Amino acid sequence: QVQLVESGGGSVQAGGPRRPSCAAPPTPSSSNARGWYRQAPGKQRELVAVITSGGSTNYADSVKGRFTITRDNAKNMVYLQMNSLKPEDTAVYYCNLEYIGMNYWGEGTLVTVSS
């Protein structure tokens, strides 16, 4: 089984940083993409950031310039550096791994941004 484990959520003041991380089993990095999604109350789960096996990234418009996704293939880790957080960023953040067309998820980590 593929098990993803997020950590690093918590409460933060608006304008502050947070850097959740996510561990995954050692699936081939050449065949997997990693990502972060989030879901706020009453909202659909949405893409925050993705990073391909080759290091290409895509971000939601709402987080561009503030969030940075990185991965460490040797450690099978993915990170989300979140800066200049806004109350609108409050959500459960989910780690994702896409491997051979299948998606695997963590249980989520809550990030609460207070004004």
Side-chain angles (χ1 to χ4, degrees), residues 22-104:
C22 176
T27 53
S29 60
S30 62
S31 300
N32 77 59
R34 306 297 302 277
W36 287 95
Y37 293 69
R38 68 186 181 187
Q39 187 167 22
K43 302 286 288 184
Q44 293 282 100
R45 184 177 298 185
E46 65 174 347
L47 169 72
V48 177
V50 294
I51 183 165
T52 69
S53 60
S56 298
T57 59
N58 284 296
Y59 297 91
D61 287 341
S62 60
V63 307
K64 285 181 179 177
R66 298 189 297 121
F67 291 10
T68 303
I69 186 171
T70 57
R71 63 186 292 168
D72 185 333
N73 292 335
K75 297 180 179 179
N76 304 297
M77 298 286 290
V78 65
Y79 308 89
L80 185 66
Q81 179 67 55
M82 305 188 293
N83 296 325
S84 302
L85 283 163
K86 305 174 181 179
E88 305 95 282
D89 296 317
T90 295
V92 176
Y93 284 73
Y94 295 92
C95 178
N96 170 262
L97 180 151
E98 186 276 313
Y99 179 55
I100 315 179
M102 297 186 68
N103 287 287
Y104 303 87

